[in-house]
Amino acid sequence: MIEKTQWVYKFGGKHTQGNAEMRDLLGGKGANLAEMARLGLPIPPGFTITTDMCRIYYENDKQLPESLEEQVQNALDTMAQETGCVFGDDDNPLIVSVRSGSRASMPGMMDTVLNLGLNDINVHSLAKKSLDKRFAFDTYRRFIQMYSNVVLNVHSDCFEKILEEHREANGYYEDSDFTADNWHEIITLYKKIIREKTDHDFPQNPKDQLWRAIHAVFASWQNDRAIIYRRLNDVPNEWGTAVNVQSMVFGNMGNTSMTGVCFTRNPSTGEKHFYGEYLVNAQGEDVVAGIRTPHNISKAGREKQGDKRPSMEENMPDVYAELKSLMHRLETHYKDMQDIEFTVQKGTLYLLQTRSGKRTALAALNIAKDMYDENLISKNEALMRIAPNALKQLLHPRLHPDAKKELLAKALPASPGAVSGQIVLNAEDVVRLAADGQKAILVRVETSPEDIQGMNAAEGILTGRGGMTSHAAVVARGMGRTCVVGCSDMQIDFENMCVNFGNIQLKQGDYITLDGDNGLVLKGNLPTLPPDLSENFDWLMREVDKIRTVKVRTNAETPADTLIAKKFGAEGIGLCRTEHMFFSQERIIQMRQMILADNKEERCKALNALQPMQQQDFVEIFNIMEDLPVTIRLLDPPLHEFLPQNEAEIEALATISGHPIKHIKQRIEALHEFNPMLGHRGCRLAITFPEIYEMQVRAIFLAAIEVHRRTQKNITPEIMIPLVGLSEELSNLRKLVDTTAQSIFKQENIHLDYYVGTMIELPRAALCADELAQYADFLSFGTNDLTQTTFGISRDDAGSFLEYYQKNNIIKFDPFMTMDINGVGKLIEIACQKAKSVRPDIKLGICGEHGGDAASIEFCIKTGLDYVSCSPFRIPTAKLSATQTRIKHNM
Ligand code: PEP
Ligand code: MG
């Protein structure tokens, strides 16, 4: 059966077999090359080996079936017909590129080999045919360098060192300054290194070269950086990569040749103008790898950046006009912003790739809205174009206008936002510092895919080289990290671990601030302002509010957070964690007195002192939320969290409370628990010390009455009992709430509506939700604890092994970030169904972190929850995600 399957799909001219619909099988690059060929665009011919073959490769211990050879040879024969060049021929060689291409674009994560098929003999034929010996030998040395790195695992530093020595010895600035003789000499040295490092001569047989390169590209699907990238971007491991073999066109054939990357709209801001970069007499890798800083493609772009070097528009106006018209055609065809790679060989334009361009959230929003206005896409399509989890990028801070700016350098604004952090020169240190809660800016000459974890952990990224399409720029934009690239005024001194900006020297650990909107590098840790949301953002929020039905609430306990949440359109508070209100200086002392109390009377005394403060908190929150629902969760964490942590605090408490130090230490000892998360916390505290919840309930109702009397708004508190596992716990505490409420209503001669509900944080609570529902007006899924208790994995300690689990595919994602639908989700489904069976009108919500995660929200909506609740800055994400679920599933 395997023999009959088509593994190879040709593209180019009349031989094209694929199309854009086939991206699962051909990968994005392969499918789009086929589509462009069908559109009659100038595409060098080639073929794609399918992603199915990648799966077979891994299933068969990295072996490829023999039948593939026949299909590849057939495709090479077709390329010979199209190009007039023959692969492996000594006199008229066909030179090819071998490139990866998966279903989702994974920029720079997998391997590529360019200029393949050259050897010591046919390089002379290439020189003769092109009448350019320099070009032929430059191409051969590029091939040797890249092939040796990718296929033979010889580190590129070995080659760079040789290049650097020659550059210095000859006083050259750019690689295009090298002569044919220089390259010849360098090739001899390269080959010597390869012999030393691999014990073999550089392979001369083009077929051998090709098969080994195909193997290497398939193998690169499982390299570390590809695995990490997939994890960070939710790309399934099973997808595999295709391999694209394509006839080379050469951007390094002199001054009428060039290579570049362009976008049909600005990928950083979304503005509607062509945007791109190019390099004369170069190959694609030179642009992407950031080895030379490219020129701007358009005159307007060049002038905006204050770049003196000629744009492509000025340099080759005819080719520029042709490129512009092809870009327009591609955008109209795909109805999306395109990221296009092109090469000009001696004045003739070729397209090598088109794909939907990666963009910042700001660009995604602006492009979606503009394309809707231009009647290119429908409103629903526009709403589906914006990734909900990326929306938080829009909420990036900006530099405070009063910030004292000391400019260190100006470079390219690759990804927006204003961030400060310590200068850190390598990715591992960034990861370490971030784990320690410290802010770092990753500063590199250029980033490479190995830096990806450091880039993710950094506040921002600054590179010395590279343009807007360099690895750093593309990856940072995708991640939503602030990024400034191509900072040529910066010199990194790795020996002394410092960075020089002109004559200002900063050490690793010193603070800098990046302004990613304007490409500024500034000295120090500067103040920022919250983001200023645009008209398009308001449009988006208005439209999503028209479509979605699930309510979006917020998790907030301070007036500041509540205000931000209200501004983002929170439709209530889904979780107000009251314990956070006890940590201020004055309150913690009363709290500690309460915990130290030897008897109820003393405990009540301390609680009575806390009550007015707690009441004031609730007054402020009710005031802000007005008649929107507010769910207040009664005290949850174990008491020891409030106790003094060191000798000085113990002494201070002894002085204030009059308790002897020894007594305090005994009490700390007595409260110590081996598993505090599973210990005396949540409702268990109130079952044993009911006076704690009594005080909180009094404070809630007195506050509600006060605000109601002043504003005449309907204040309807929702009181939530945490960590319930037994219906008896809930029935007891519900009685406590009801009795306390009634006594206050009587005393104040008023009645307010209120609800009492519980969190579902334990598997038992989920499985017995029907029993709990008898005493609950609402259930709110506390999926942080529910994940912890379902997996038996501590939410505070999981980091030590979850990372390893993810890397090794034991688990696909962090279940504390994205809901585990199969386990935790199943419990939620059971709970919903059981609760509704006894109480059809019970209100259901979620207030764990998953309430702000797009994929988890989709599940919540499908399961029939009435609301999701998330931190204020995730409200736009939650609203958009709810809307997209409705559009996608027509629900
Ligand atoms: C939860 O457990 O999901 C929850 C929201 O409560 P907390 O995070 O405060 O434990
Ligand atoms: Mg909890």
Side-chain angles (χ1 to χ4, degrees):
M1 193 200 121
I2 283 182
E3 266 66 35
K4 289 204 180 110
T5 312
Q6 182 174 359
W7 309 121
V8 170
Y9 286 72
K10 300 172 193 172
F11 56 80
K14 59 182 187 300
H15 302 285
T16 304
Q17 296 173 314
N19 61 50
E21 306 292 306
M22 294 168 74
R23 68 182 299 131
D24 292 2
L25 185 66
L26 303 181
K29 191 178 285 148
N32 285 334
L33 279 166
E35 183 80 4
M36 287 197 288
R38 280 183 189 280
L39 292 172
L41 304 185
I43 308 301
F47 61 89
T48 305
I49 307 176
T50 64
T51 55
D52 279 348
M53 184 47 68
C54 186
R55 277 191 290 278
I56 290 170
Y57 172 78
Y58 283 105
E59 279 161 20
N60 288 296
D61 206 14
K62 303 193 179 175
Q63 300 297 316
L64 294 169
E66 268 175 30
S67 61
L68 181 64
E69 275 180 46
E70 218 175 278
Q71 295 187 25
V72 165
Q73 187 53 52
N74 179 288
L76 287 169
D77 292 345
T78 307
M79 286 167 79
Q81 282 173 35
E82 287 281 312
T83 61
C85 299
V86 179
F87 189 72
D89 197 79
D90 283 347
D91 301 325
N92 187 23
L94 173 68
I95 315 298
V96 299
S97 63
V98 182
R99 305 170 84 190
S100 58
S102 84
R103 229 191 271 191
S105 96
M106 296 170 50
M109 299 301 143
M110 287 179 285
D111 288 336
T112 288
V113 182
L114 301 181
N115 308 305
L116 184 140
L118 281 171
N119 59 25
D120 292 351
I121 295 170
N122 64 22
V123 66
H124 294 283
S125 312
L126 185 66
K128 220 185 287 164
K129 206 169 117 192
S130 62
L131 304 175
D132 188 345
K133 200 168 163 206
R134 190 211 67 86
F135 150 73
F137 282 91
D138 172 36
T139 307
Y140 190 28
R141 75 85 199 174
R142 285 171 182 272
F143 169 52
I144 295 175
Q145 195 168 338
M146 201 180 258
Y147 184 90
S148 302
N149 183 234
V150 169
V151 181
L152 308 178
N153 290 319
V154 181
H155 203 287
S156 50
D157 282 358
C158 307
F159 305 114
E160 284 300 330
K161 195 163 161 268
I162 295 174
L163 276 185
E164 194 57 49
E165 282 165 8
H166 274 72
R167 243 180 242 131
E168 260 174 39
N170 293 298
Y172 294 155
Y173 176 65
E174 295 204 335
D175 291 354
S176 48
D177 298 335
F178 284 95
T179 63
D181 287 345
N182 292 143
W183 287 132
H184 201 278
E185 211 176 294
I186 288 167
I187 287 169
T188 311
L189 293 172
Y190 276 11
K191 288 204 289 202
K192 197 161 153 251
I193 292 262
I194 292 158
R195 172 87 228 169
E196 272 167 33
K197 299 270 175 197
T198 67
D199 270 348
H200 289 94
D201 287 328
F202 185 76
Q204 293 292 309
N205 180 339
K207 287 232 164 90
D208 248 22
Q209 295 170 355
L210 177 63
W211 283 103
R212 290 179 72 179
I214 292 172
H215 271 267
V217 173
F218 278 138
S220 70
W221 177 251
Q222 290 295 11
N223 71 29
D224 283 350
R225 54 185 199 251
I227 292 170
I228 292 169
Y229 184 91
R230 286 202 289 279
R231 215 173 64 221
L232 291 173
N233 292 280
D234 294 329
V235 176
N237 196 38
E238 306 79 74
W239 282 2
T241 181
V243 177
N244 296 291
V245 177
Q246 187 174 22
S247 157
M248 279 295 296
V249 281
F250 300 99
N252 58 330
M253 263 195 183
N255 288 337
T256 54
S257 300
M258 60 180 66
T259 184
V261 181
C262 53
F263 294 85
T264 54
R265 305 191 185 211
N266 187 312
S268 195
T269 62
E271 282 166 285
K272 194 179 174 187
H273 56 73
F274 292 132
Y275 183 87
E277 298 167 336
Y278 78 106
L279 280 173
V280 174
N281 201 2
Q283 287 200 350
E285 291 307 291
D286 302 347
V287 183
V288 180
I291 291 166
R292 285 160 62 186
T293 300
H295 303 212
N296 213 296
I297 202 166
S298 70
K299 184 164 177 260
R302 169 181 83 68
E303 285 172 352
K304 199 164 166 213
Q305 272 176 11
D307 192 343
K308 297 262 179 322
R309 302 162 314 157
S311 65
M312 181 181 176
E313 188 175 0
E314 292 152 303
N315 206 343
M316 293 188 93
D318 294 349
V319 185
Y320 176 76
E322 188 190 352
L323 176 65
K324 215 171 146 181
S325 112
L326 293 183
M327 284 165 80
H328 181 69
R329 198 157 154 215
L330 282 171
E331 183 179 278
T332 316
H333 180 74
Y334 284 100
K335 297 185 190 325
D336 196 7
M337 186 265 269
Q338 296 295 295
D339 162 356
I340 297 160
E341 273 180 34
F342 66 92
T343 286
V344 177
Q345 177 178 311
K346 294 207 166 195
T348 306
L349 173 68
Y350 295 93
L351 301 185
L352 300 182
Q353 169 164 304
T354 191
R355 59 183 171 191
S356 283
K358 293 223 180 287
R359 62 203 79 178
T360 61
L362 177 69
L365 169 62
N366 292 341
I367 290 172
K369 172 68 168 46
D370 286 350
M371 287 193 167
Y372 164 59
D373 289 343
E374 292 159 24
N375 285 326
L376 211 55
I377 55 176
S378 69
K379 190 189 288 174
N380 280 0
E381 278 174 311
L383 297 177
M384 293 302 289
R385 285 279 170 88
I386 304 156
N389 282 340
L391 267 190
K392 58 180 181 296
Q393 274 184 43
L394 285 184
L395 318 173
H396 274 312
R398 302 169 288 133
L399 214 52
H400 195 291
D402 294 337
K404 284 210 168 58
K405 288 190 218 160
E406 192 177 339
L407 185 68
L408 295 169
K410 180 165 174 11
L412 301 176
S415 186
V419 290
S420 301
Q422 298 172 44
I423 294 175
V424 178
L425 300 181
N426 69 67
E428 297 83 58
D429 286 351
V430 173
V431 174
R432 213 170 23 75
L433 278 176
D436 216 29
Q438 300 193 54
K439 294 180 174 181
I441 306 281
L442 177 62
V443 180
R444 307 282 285 157
V445 175
E446 64 211 28
T447 62
S448 73
E450 276 89 325
D451 291 329
I452 187 154
Q453 270 180 309
M455 295 174 76
N456 193 41
E459 294 294 306
I461 298 136
L462 168 65
T463 69
R465 291 199 209 147
M468 297 289 275
T469 49
S470 63
H471 175 266
V474 172
V475 174
R477 216 175 281 137
M479 283 176 172
R481 293 287 168 279
T482 296
C483 182
V484 174
V485 298
C487 185
S488 51
D489 292 342
M490 169 180 83
Q491 270 84 42
I492 304 181
D493 178 353
F494 283 104
E495 219 158 273
N496 299 304
M497 296 303 270
C498 61
V499 185
N500 297 306
F501 297 92
N503 49 20
I504 302 177
Q505 185 173 78
L506 298 180
K507 294 190 297 301
Q508 166 147 309
D510 286 345
Y511 273 84
I512 52 170
T513 298
L514 300 183
D515 173 353
D517 299 276
N518 299 300
L520 306 182
V521 186
L522 303 153
K523 196 171 171 190
N525 189 358
L526 299 182
T528 54
L529 274 186
D532 202 6
L533 297 171
S534 67
E535 264 174 43
N536 281 352
F537 182 80
D538 292 344
W539 168 81
L540 177 70
M541 288 296 111
R542 271 199 311 278
E543 293 303 328
V544 297
D545 282 352
K546 283 185 209 157
I547 296 176
R548 91 197 139 82
T549 46
V550 78
K551 295 279 181 206
V552 175
R553 299 195 189 184
T554 193
N555 295 356
E557 47 267 341
T558 65
D561 282 355
T562 312
L563 272 172
I564 294 174
K566 187 102 185 280
K567 199 172 110 204
F568 289 146
E571 294 163 305
I573 290 184
L575 174 64
C576 171
R577 292 176 164 104
T578 51
E579 58 271 14
H580 291 180
M581 297 166 158
F582 293 118
F583 281 102
S584 72
Q585 193 59 23
E586 175 189 14
R587 299 177 186 198
I588 192 92
I589 288 168
Q590 293 300 340
M591 196 66 187
R592 287 171 179 167
Q593 305 251 47
M594 190 275 287
I595 297 166
L596 284 179
D598 288 324
N599 53 51
K600 185 168 175 180
E601 201 188 329
E602 257 188 59
R603 206 159 28 247
C604 286
K605 208 166 127 206
L607 285 166
N608 285 341
L610 282 166
Q611 185 185 308
M613 304 183 219
Q614 177 99 101
Q615 190 173 324
Q616 190 49 35
D617 294 330
F618 297 139
V619 165
E620 288 183 51
I621 288 172
F622 287 136
N623 263 335
I624 297 169
M625 293 315 274
E626 301 183 298
D627 39 17
L628 292 172
V630 174
T631 303
I632 296 169
R633 199 242 332 252
L634 302 181
L635 195 69
D636 182 40
L639 292 180
H640 79 86
E641 283 194 12
F642 298 98
L643 284 173
Q645 306 291 326
N646 53 45
E647 289 292 329
E649 284 184 358
I650 293 174
E651 273 172 36
L653 181 59
T655 315
I656 292 168
S657 66
H659 285 281
I661 288 182
K662 194 166 151 220
H663 177 184
I664 297 175
K665 287 192 171 166
Q666 275 167 356
R667 196 77 187 108
I668 293 174
E669 185 64 24
L671 285 169
H672 173 79
E673 291 179 319
F674 285 107
N675 278 318
M677 277 289 189
L678 301 178
H680 193 188
R681 62 171 280 216
C683 68
R684 298 160 198 167
L685 283 175
I687 294 286
T688 46
F689 302 121
E691 48 280 8
I692 300 178
Y693 277 16
E694 268 166 29
M695 178 281 281
Q696 292 197 289
V697 173
R698 270 201 308 278
I700 293 169
F701 282 108
L702 288 171
I705 292 167
E706 182 184 328
V707 177
H708 166 71
R709 283 195 170 131
R710 190 157 31 80
T711 63
Q712 291 306 307
K713 300 269 183 204
N714 281 329
I715 310 291
T716 310
E718 298 182 353
I719 294 173
M720 184 156 77
I721 318 285
L723 216 75
V724 165
L726 300 159
S727 61
E728 289 78 2
E729 289 169 328
L730 189 59
S731 69
N732 265 288
L733 294 171
R734 164 141 215 158
K735 206 181 293 161
L736 176 149
V737 175
D738 288 340
T739 316
T740 311
Q742 291 317 318
S743 91
I744 290 177
F745 294 161
K746 198 162 159 209
Q747 167 198 313
E748 298 288 322
N749 196 21
I750 196 169
H751 176 85
L752 293 186
D753 287 337
Y754 66 94
Y755 299 106
V756 181
T758 184
M759 297 180 78
I760 302 287
E761 296 173 284
L762 303 171
R764 190 180 197 284
L767 297 172
C768 303
D770 47 348
E771 294 169 26
L772 300 182
Q774 297 174 64
Y775 307 103
D777 304 318
F778 64 88
L779 301 180
S780 177
F781 293 95
T783 44
N784 304 333
D785 273 312
L786 189 58
T787 301
Q788 166 167 263
T789 51
T790 300
F791 277 89
I793 291 179
S794 156
R795 58 197 263 198
D796 298 322
D797 304 311
S800 60
F801 58 91
L802 260 190
E803 170 84 14
Y804 183 88
Y805 267 43
Q806 283 176 266
K807 252 194 198 151
N808 291 280
N809 258 326
I810 310 284
I811 196 166
K812 290 215 163 57
F813 46 78
D814 179 343
F816 291 103
M817 281 166 68
T818 299
M819 191 188 293
D820 158 48
I821 309 268
N822 289 353
V824 175
K826 186 67 63 50
L827 285 169
I828 293 177
E829 279 168 358
I830 293 171
C832 291
Q833 181 242 317
K834 287 199 167 236
K836 288 212 167 183
S837 72
V838 296
R839 194 160 180 169
D841 65 337
I842 194 161
K843 204 191 288 178
L844 301 168
I846 178 173
C847 62
E849 280 306 297
H850 305 87
D853 169 72
S856 314
I857 291 171
E858 180 165 341
F859 167 81
C860 293
I861 294 173
K862 287 194 200 152
T863 312
L865 300 199
D866 300 297
Y867 69 85
V868 299
S869 189
C870 57
S871 57
F873 281 95
R874 294 173 90 186
I875 290 171
T877 295
K879 287 185 162 189
L880 179 57
S881 167
T883 304
Q884 292 188 346
T885 304
R886 183 124 201 259
I887 295 173
K888 217 164 35 179
H889 301 286
N890 214 2
M891 53 192 299

